[in-house]
């Protein structure tokens, strides 16, 4: 059974600081997704990581994938208040990225 | 393009009632899925479809039915609502094998309360 674990579950940080969210998964997969969810809203796709060693960056967020370690990270650089949201990683049960299994989410709060 | 649309946005049911949550997409995506999100948790897959006429169960299918008669529509039916089905329901679609990333696009959600 595929399990996806994120940590930390809750993160409170000051503006300007750096931090990393970790996503571990239990079975082999070559495809990992990161999503952002604002309170009461739907999920917004941030990154799709397709292969071992993949790294993608968008603004202050950078995601990476290590398929051998079954680990993905989402690094936040110089956090700003607008990044406050819940972040989810998800892994597809097949290598096409279907039938996603989600982590429990990391609720990020960036304080001024 | 409207993307993925869901109706209704909010619904309150009594235990034992049945209803259908509607989902439609206008992106000509092959794959569609239904997820539920309980408070403070990630999404869990209920049912999915890889094309018109083809559906399969996900992680938590009990108490739900789906059908897919067209590429665009993927309704979710609650057969006899129970308080444990109180949740936010998200529909998603993705291109399938024709898309390099097969990225899933999510609808706005339906917030369901069962009394």
């Amino acid at each position: 059974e595929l399990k996806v674990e994120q940590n930390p579950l809750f993160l409170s940080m000051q503006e300007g600081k750096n931090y990393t969210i970790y996503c571990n998964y239990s079975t082999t997969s070559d495809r990992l997704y990161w999503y952002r969810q604002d309170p009461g809203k739907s999920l917004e796709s941030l990154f799709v990581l397709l292969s071992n060693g993949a790294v993608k960056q968008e603004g202050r967020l950078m995601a990476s994938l290590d398929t051998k370690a079954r680990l993905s990270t989402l690094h936040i650089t110089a956090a700003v208040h607008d990044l406050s949201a819940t972040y989810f990683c998800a892994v597809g049960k097949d290598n096409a990225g279907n039938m996603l299994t989600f982590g429990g989410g990391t609720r990020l709060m960036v304080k001024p | 393009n409207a993307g993925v649309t869901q109706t209704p946005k909010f619904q309150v049911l009594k235990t034992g009632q049945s209803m259908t949550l509607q989902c439609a997409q206008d992106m000509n995506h092959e794959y569609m899925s239904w997820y539920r999100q309980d408070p403070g948790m990630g999404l869990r897959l209920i049912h999915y479809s890889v094309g018109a006429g083809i559906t399969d169960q996900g992680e938590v299918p009990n108490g739900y039915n789906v059908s897919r008669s067209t590429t665009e529509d993927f309704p979710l039916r609650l057969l006899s609502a129970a308080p444990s089905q109180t949740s936010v329901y998200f529909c998603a679609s993705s291109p399938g094998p024709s898309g390099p990333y097969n990225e899933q696009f999510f609808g706005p959600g339906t917030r369901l309360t069962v009394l």
Side-chain angles (χ1 to χ4, degrees):
Chain A
E1 179 188 354
L2 173 59
K3 292 187 178 180
V4 181
E5 294 185 351
Q6 284 181 240
N7 66 83
L9 298 182
F10 180 76
L11 179 57
S12 178
M13 55 193 298
Q14 297 283 340
E15 279 192 330
K17 298 293 186 181
N18 304 333
Y19 209 84
T20 300
I21 299 170
Y22 297 89
C23 174
N24 291 91
Y25 54 98
S26 61
T27 62
T28 301
S29 177
D30 291 334
R31 192 176 298 236
L32 188 135
Y33 302 83
W34 283 97
Y35 289 91
R36 168 182 172 145
Q37 186 179 39
D38 293 303
K41 302 294 186 182
S42 185
L43 279 75
E44 173 191 355
S45 178
L46 294 175
F47 301 107
V48 181
L49 302 171
L50 294 180
S51 61
N52 188 42
V55 177
K56 288 195 173 180
Q57 183 162 5
E58 181 74 33
R60 301 174 188 273
L61 301 177
M62 183 174 71
S64 66
L65 178 62
D66 181 344
T67 58
K68 294 179 181 177
R70 298 176 188 168
L71 171 69
S72 180
T73 61
L74 181 65
H75 187 73
I76 303 155
T77 302
V80 294
H81 179 69
D82 284 352
L83 289 179
S84 297
T86 299
Y87 294 85
F88 292 97
C89 64
V91 177
K93 287 188 177 181
D94 64 6
N95 280 332
N98 301 308
M99 301 174 282
L100 295 181
T101 296
F102 280 79
T106 296
R107 186 180 168 198
L108 172 66
M109 186 178 298
V110 181
K111 298 180 179 179
Chain B
N1 281 357
V4 180
T5 59
Q6 292 182 237
T7 57
K9 291 186 177 180
F10 301 93
Q11 183 70 49
V12 179
L13 292 177
K14 294 181 180 179
T15 296
Q17 287 184 316
S18 63
M19 80 159 293
T20 299
L21 308 185
Q22 301 291 344
C23 175
Q25 54 93 7
D26 61 0
M27 297 175 282
N28 201 31
H29 284 171
E30 287 187 57
Y31 292 178
M32 296 186 75
S33 305
W34 276 102
Y35 295 85
R36 61 177 286 174
Q37 184 178 30
D38 298 312
M41 295 179 65
L43 280 68
R44 291 184 292 169
L45 181 65
I46 305 171
H47 284 286
Y48 65 98
S49 169
V50 298
I54 307 170
T55 63
D56 207 344
Q57 297 181 350
E59 182 184 353
V60 288
N62 292 342
Y64 307 95
N65 263 357
V66 292
S67 60
R68 186 137 178 236
S69 56
T70 67
T71 301
E72 294 78 19
D73 300 298
F74 191 42
L76 177 72
R77 297 181 188 84
L78 279 70
L79 308 173
S80 176
S84 61
Q85 293 179 305
T86 294
S87 190
V88 180
Y89 291 84
F90 289 100
C91 178
S93 74
S94 58
S98 61
Y101 300 111
N102 203 22
E103 183 180 357
Q104 295 206 18
F105 296 87
F106 286 82
T110 294
R111 189 174 296 271
L112 176 68
T113 302
V114 183
L115 303 176

Coordinates of all heavy atoms in Angstrom, one line a residue, chain B residues 1-59:
Chain B
N1 N -11.9 28.7 -21.6 CA -12.2 27.4 -21.0 C -12.6 27.6 -19.5 O -12.0 28.3 -18.8 CB -10.9 26.5 -21.0 CG -10.7 25.9 -22.4 OD1 -11.5 26.0 -23.3 ND2 -9.6 25.2 -22.5
A2 N -13.7 26.9 -19.1 CA -14.1 26.9 -17.7 C -13.2 26.0 -16.9 O -13.2 26.1 -15.7 CB -15.6 26.5 -17.6
G3 N -12.6 25.0 -17.5 CA -11.8 24.1 -16.7 C -12.6 23.0 -16.1 O -13.5 22.4 -16.8
V4 N -12.5 22.7 -14.8 CA -13.3 21.7 -14.1 C -14.4 22.5 -13.3 O -14.0 23.3 -12.5 CB -12.4 20.8 -13.2 CG1 -13.3 19.8 -12.5 CG2 -11.3 20.2 -14.0
T5 N -15.6 22.2 -13.5 CA -16.7 22.8 -12.8 C -17.4 21.8 -12.0 O -17.6 20.6 -12.4 CB -17.7 23.5 -13.7 OG1 -18.2 22.6 -14.6 CG2 -17.0 24.6 -14.5
Q6 N -17.9 22.2 -10.8 CA -18.6 21.3 -9.9 C -19.9 22.0 -9.4 O -19.9 23.2 -9.1 CB -17.8 20.9 -8.7 CG -16.6 20.1 -9.0 CD -15.8 19.7 -7.7 OE1 -14.6 19.9 -7.6 NE2 -16.5 19.1 -6.8
T7 N -21.0 21.3 -9.3 CA -22.2 21.8 -8.7 C -22.8 20.7 -7.8 O -22.7 19.5 -8.1 CB -23.2 22.2 -9.7 OG1 -23.5 21.1 -10.6 CG2 -22.7 23.4 -10.5
P8 N -23.5 21.0 -6.7 CA -23.5 22.4 -6.1 C -22.2 22.8 -5.4 O -21.4 21.9 -5.2 CB -24.7 22.3 -5.2 CG -24.6 20.9 -4.7 CD -24.2 20.1 -5.8
K9 N -22.1 24.0 -4.9 CA -21.0 24.4 -4.1 C -21.2 23.9 -2.6 O -20.2 23.6 -1.9 CB -20.8 25.9 -4.1 CG -20.3 26.4 -5.5 CD -20.0 27.8 -5.5 CE -19.4 28.3 -6.8 NZ -19.1 29.7 -6.8
F10 N -22.4 24.0 -2.2 CA -22.8 23.6 -0.8 C -24.0 22.7 -0.8 O -24.9 22.9 -1.7 CB -23.0 24.8 0.1 CG -21.9 25.8 0.2 CD1 -21.8 26.8 -0.7 CD2 -20.9 25.6 1.1 CE1 -20.8 27.7 -0.6 CE2 -19.9 26.5 1.2 CZ -19.8 27.6 0.4
Q11 N -24.1 21.7 0.1 CA -25.3 20.9 0.2 C -25.4 20.3 1.6 O -24.4 19.9 2.2 CB -25.2 19.7 -0.8 CG -26.4 18.8 -0.9 CD -27.6 19.5 -1.5 OE1 -27.5 20.1 -2.6 NE2 -28.7 19.4 -0.8
V12 N -26.6 20.4 2.1 CA -26.9 19.7 3.4 C -27.9 18.6 3.1 O -29.0 18.9 2.5 CB -27.5 20.8 4.4 CG1 -27.8 20.1 5.7 CG2 -26.5 21.9 4.6
L13 N -27.6 17.5 3.6 CA -28.5 16.3 3.4 C -28.9 15.7 4.8 O -28.1 15.9 5.8 CB -27.8 15.2 2.7 CG -27.5 15.4 1.2 CD1 -26.8 14.2 0.6 CD2 -28.8 15.7 0.4
K14 N -30.0 15.0 4.8 CA -30.3 14.2 6.0 C -29.8 12.8 5.8 O -29.8 12.3 4.7 CB -31.8 14.3 6.3 CG -32.3 15.7 6.6 CD -33.8 15.6 6.9 CE -34.3 17.0 7.3 NZ -35.8 17.0 7.5
T15 N -29.5 12.1 6.9 CA -29.1 10.7 6.8 C -30.1 9.9 6.0 O -31.3 10.0 6.3 CB -29.0 10.2 8.2 OG1 -27.9 10.9 8.9 CG2 -28.6 8.7 8.2
G16 N -29.6 9.1 5.1 CA -30.5 8.3 4.3 C -30.8 8.9 2.9 O -31.3 8.1 2.0
Q17 N -30.7 10.2 2.8 CA -31.0 10.8 1.5 C -30.0 10.4 0.4 O -28.8 10.1 0.8 CB -31.1 12.3 1.6 CG -32.4 12.8 2.3 CD -32.5 14.3 2.4 OE1 -31.5 15.0 2.6 NE2 -33.7 14.8 2.1
S18 N -30.4 10.5 -0.8 CA -29.4 10.3 -1.9 C -29.3 11.6 -2.7 O -30.1 12.5 -2.6 CB -29.9 9.2 -2.8 OG -31.1 9.5 -3.4
M19 N -28.1 11.7 -3.3 CA -27.9 12.9 -4.2 C -26.8 12.6 -5.2 O -26.0 11.7 -5.0 CB -27.7 14.2 -3.4 CG -26.3 14.3 -2.9 SD -25.8 16.0 -2.5 CE -25.9 16.8 -4.1
T20 N -26.7 13.5 -6.2 CA -25.6 13.4 -7.1 C -24.8 14.7 -7.2 O -25.4 15.8 -7.3 CB -26.2 13.1 -8.5 OG1 -26.9 11.9 -8.5 CG2 -25.1 13.1 -9.6
L21 N -23.5 14.6 -7.0 CA -22.6 15.7 -7.2 C -22.2 15.7 -8.7 O -21.7 14.7 -9.2 CB -21.4 15.6 -6.3 CG -21.6 15.3 -4.8 CD1 -20.3 15.4 -4.1 CD2 -22.6 16.3 -4.2
Q22 N -22.3 16.9 -9.3 CA -22.0 17.0 -10.7 C -20.6 17.5 -10.9 O -20.1 18.3 -10.2 CB -23.0 17.9 -11.4 CG -24.4 17.5 -11.3 CD -24.7 16.3 -12.1 OE1 -24.0 15.9 -13.0 NE2 -25.9 15.7 -11.8
C23 N -19.9 17.0 -12.0 CA -18.6 17.4 -12.4 C -18.5 17.4 -13.9 O -18.9 16.4 -14.5 CB -17.5 16.5 -11.8 SG -15.8 16.9 -12.3
A24 N -18.0 18.5 -14.4 CA -17.8 18.6 -15.9 C -16.4 19.2 -16.2 O -16.0 20.1 -15.4 CB -18.9 19.4 -16.5
Q25 N -15.8 18.8 -17.3 CA -14.6 19.5 -17.7 C -14.7 19.7 -19.2 O -15.3 18.9 -20.0 CB -13.4 18.6 -17.3 CG -13.4 17.2 -17.8 CD -12.7 16.9 -19.1 OE1 -12.1 17.8 -19.7 NE2 -12.9 15.7 -19.6
D26 N -14.1 20.8 -19.7 CA -14.1 21.2 -21.1 C -12.7 21.2 -21.7 O -12.5 21.9 -22.7 CB -14.8 22.5 -21.2 CG -14.1 23.7 -20.5 OD1 -13.0 23.4 -19.9 OD2 -14.5 24.8 -20.6
M27 N -11.8 20.4 -21.2 CA -10.4 20.4 -21.7 C -10.2 19.1 -22.5 O -9.0 18.8 -22.8 CB -9.5 20.4 -20.5 CG -9.6 21.7 -19.7 SD -8.6 21.8 -18.2 CE -9.6 20.9 -17.1
N28 N -11.2 18.3 -22.7 CA -11.1 17.1 -23.5 C -10.1 16.1 -22.8 O -9.4 15.4 -23.5 CB -10.7 17.3 -24.9 CG -11.0 16.1 -25.8 OD1 -12.0 15.5 -25.6 ND2 -10.2 15.9 -26.8
H29 N -10.1 16.1 -21.5 CA -9.2 15.2 -20.7 C -9.8 13.8 -20.7 O -11.0 13.6 -20.5 CB -9.0 15.7 -19.3 CG -8.1 16.9 -19.2 ND1 -7.9 17.6 -18.0 CD2 -7.3 17.4 -20.1 CE1 -7.0 18.5 -18.2 NE2 -6.6 18.5 -19.5
E30 N -8.9 12.8 -20.8 CA -9.4 11.4 -20.7 C -9.7 11.0 -19.3 O -10.6 10.2 -19.0 CB -8.3 10.5 -21.2 CG -8.0 10.5 -22.7 CD -7.1 9.5 -23.2 OE1 -7.3 8.3 -22.9 OE2 -6.1 9.8 -23.8
Y31 N -8.8 11.4 -18.3 CA -9.0 10.9 -17.0 C -9.7 11.9 -16.1 O -9.5 13.1 -16.1 CB -7.6 10.7 -16.4 CG -6.8 9.6 -17.0 CD1 -5.5 9.3 -16.6 CD2 -7.3 8.8 -18.0 CE1 -4.7 8.3 -17.1 CE2 -6.5 7.8 -18.6 CZ -5.2 7.5 -18.1 OH -4.5 6.5 -18.7
M32 N -10.6 11.3 -15.3 CA -11.3 12.1 -14.3 C -11.4 11.3 -13.0 O -11.4 10.1 -13.0 CB -12.7 12.5 -14.7 CG -12.7 13.4 -16.0 SD -14.4 13.9 -16.5 CE -14.7 15.2 -15.2
S33 N -11.4 12.1 -11.8 CA -11.3 11.4 -10.5 C -12.2 12.2 -9.5 O -12.4 13.4 -9.7 CB -9.9 11.4 -10.0 OG -9.0 10.8 -10.9
W34 N -12.6 11.5 -8.5 CA -13.3 12.1 -7.4 C -12.4 11.9 -6.1 O -12.0 10.7 -5.8 CB -14.7 11.6 -7.1 CG -15.7 12.2 -8.0 CD1 -16.3 11.7 -9.1 CD2 -16.3 13.5 -7.8 NE1 -17.2 12.6 -9.6 CE2 -17.3 13.6 -8.8 CE3 -16.2 14.4 -6.8 CZ2 -18.1 14.8 -8.9 CZ3 -17.0 15.6 -6.8 CH2 -17.9 15.7 -7.9
Y35 N -12.2 12.9 -5.3 CA -11.5 12.8 -4.0 C -12.4 13.5 -3.0 O -13.2 14.3 -3.2 CB -10.2 13.6 -4.1 CG -9.2 13.1 -5.0 CD1 -9.2 13.5 -6.4 CD2 -8.2 12.3 -4.6 CE1 -8.2 13.0 -7.3 CE2 -7.2 11.8 -5.5 CZ -7.2 12.2 -6.8 OH -6.3 11.8 -7.7
R36 N -12.2 13.0 -1.7 CA -12.8 13.7 -0.6 C -11.7 14.2 0.3 O -10.6 13.6 0.4 CB -13.7 12.8 0.2 CG -13.1 11.5 0.8 CD -14.2 10.8 1.6 NE -14.5 11.4 2.9 CZ -15.5 11.0 3.7 NH1 -16.2 9.9 3.4 NH2 -15.7 11.6 4.8
Q37 N -12.0 15.3 1.0 CA -11.0 15.9 1.9 C -11.7 16.2 3.2 O -12.6 17.0 3.3 CB -10.4 17.2 1.3 CG -9.3 17.8 2.3 CD -8.7 19.1 1.7 OE1 -9.4 19.9 1.0 NE2 -7.5 19.3 2.0
D38 N -11.2 15.5 4.2 CA -11.7 15.7 5.6 C -10.9 16.7 6.3 O -9.7 16.9 5.9 CB -11.8 14.4 6.3 CG -12.7 13.4 5.6 OD1 -13.8 13.8 5.3 OD2 -12.3 12.2 5.4
P39 N -11.4 17.4 7.3 CA -10.7 18.5 8.0 C -9.3 18.1 8.4 O -9.1 17.1 9.0 CB -11.6 18.8 9.2 CG -13.0 18.4 8.8 CD -12.8 17.2 7.9
G40 N -8.3 18.9 8.0 CA -7.0 18.7 8.4 C -6.3 17.6 7.8 O -5.2 17.2 8.2
M41 N -6.8 17.1 6.7 CA -6.2 15.9 6.0 C -6.0 16.2 4.6 O -6.5 17.1 4.0 CB -7.2 14.7 6.2 CG -7.3 14.2 7.6 SD -8.5 12.8 7.7 CE -7.5 11.6 6.9
G42 N -5.2 15.3 4.0 CA -5.1 15.3 2.6 C -6.3 14.7 1.8 O -7.2 14.2 2.5
L43 N -6.2 14.7 0.5 CA -7.3 14.2 -0.3 C -7.2 12.6 -0.4 O -6.1 12.1 -0.4 CB -7.3 14.8 -1.7 CG -7.9 16.2 -1.8 CD1 -7.0 17.2 -1.1 CD2 -8.1 16.5 -3.3
R44 N -8.4 12.0 -0.4 CA -8.4 10.5 -0.6 C -9.2 10.2 -1.8 O -10.3 10.8 -2.0 CB -8.9 9.8 0.6 CG -8.0 9.9 1.8 CD -8.6 9.1 3.0 NE -9.8 9.7 3.5 CZ -10.6 9.1 4.4 NH1 -10.4 7.9 4.8 NH2 -11.7 9.8 4.8
L45 N -8.7 9.3 -2.7 CA -9.4 9.0 -3.9 C -10.6 8.1 -3.7 O -10.5 7.0 -3.1 CB -8.4 8.3 -4.8 CG -8.8 7.9 -6.2 CD1 -9.2 9.1 -7.1 CD2 -7.8 7.0 -6.9
I46 N -11.7 8.5 -4.3 CA -13.0 7.7 -4.2 C -13.2 6.8 -5.4 O -13.3 5.6 -5.2 CB -14.2 8.6 -4.0 CG1 -14.0 9.6 -2.9 CG2 -15.5 7.8 -3.8 CD1 -15.1 10.7 -2.8
H47 N -13.3 7.4 -6.5 CA -13.4 6.6 -7.8 C -12.7 7.4 -8.9 O -12.5 8.6 -8.8 CB -14.9 6.5 -8.2 CG -15.7 5.5 -7.5 ND1 -15.6 4.2 -7.6 CD2 -16.7 5.7 -6.5 CE1 -16.4 3.5 -6.8 NE2 -17.1 4.4 -6.2
Y48 N -12.3 6.7 -9.9 CA -11.7 7.4 -11.1 C -12.1 6.7 -12.4 O -12.7 5.6 -12.4 CB -10.2 7.4 -10.9 CG -9.5 6.0 -11.0 CD1 -9.0 5.5 -12.2 CD2 -9.4 5.2 -9.9 CE1 -8.4 4.2 -12.3 CE2 -8.9 3.9 -9.9 CZ -8.4 3.5 -11.1 OH -7.8 2.2 -11.2
S49 N -11.8 7.4 -13.4 CA -12.2 7.0 -14.8 C -11.1 7.3 -15.8 O -10.6 8.4 -15.8 CB -13.5 7.7 -15.2 OG -13.8 7.4 -16.6
V50 N -10.8 6.3 -16.6 CA -9.7 6.5 -17.6 C -10.3 6.8 -19.0 O -9.5 6.9 -19.9 CB -8.7 5.4 -17.6 CG1 -8.0 5.3 -16.3 CG2 -9.4 4.1 -18.0
G51 N -11.6 6.9 -19.1 CA -12.2 7.2 -20.3 C -13.7 6.9 -20.2 O -14.2 6.3 -19.3
A52 N -14.5 7.4 -21.2 CA -15.9 7.2 -21.2 C -16.2 5.7 -21.2 O -15.6 4.9 -21.9 CB -16.5 7.8 -22.5
G53 N -17.1 5.3 -20.3 CA -17.5 4.0 -20.1 C -16.7 3.1 -19.2 O -16.9 1.9 -18.9
I54 N -15.6 3.7 -18.7 CA -14.6 3.0 -17.8 C -14.4 3.7 -16.5 O -14.0 4.8 -16.4 CB -13.2 2.9 -18.5 CG1 -13.4 2.3 -19.9 CG2 -12.3 2.0 -17.7 CD1 -12.1 2.4 -20.7
T55 N -14.8 2.9 -15.4 CA -14.6 3.5 -14.1 C -14.0 2.4 -13.2 O -14.1 1.2 -13.5 CB -15.9 4.0 -13.5 OG1 -16.8 2.9 -13.3 CG2 -16.6 5.0 -14.3
D56 N -13.4 2.9 -12.1 CA -12.8 1.9 -11.1 C -12.8 2.6 -9.8 O -12.9 3.8 -9.6 CB -11.4 1.5 -11.6 CG -11.0 0.1 -11.0 OD1 -11.7 -0.4 -10.1 OD2 -10.0 -0.4 -11.5
Q57 N -12.6 1.7 -8.8 CA -12.6 2.2 -7.4 C -11.3 2.7 -7.0 O -10.2 2.2 -7.4 CB -13.0 1.0 -6.5 CG -14.4 0.5 -6.7 CD -14.7 -0.7 -5.8 OE1 -13.9 -1.2 -5.0 NE2 -16.0 -1.1 -5.8
G58 N -11.3 3.7 -6.1 CA -10.1 4.2 -5.4 C -10.0 3.7 -4.0 O -10.4 2.5 -3.7
E59 N -9.5 4.5 -3.2 CA -9.1 4.1 -1.8 C -10.4 4.0 -0.9 O -10.4 3.1 0.0 CB -8.2 5.2 -1.2 CG -7.7 4.9 0.2 CD -6.8 6.0 0.7 OE1 -6.5 7.0 -0.1 OE2 -6.4 6.0 1.9

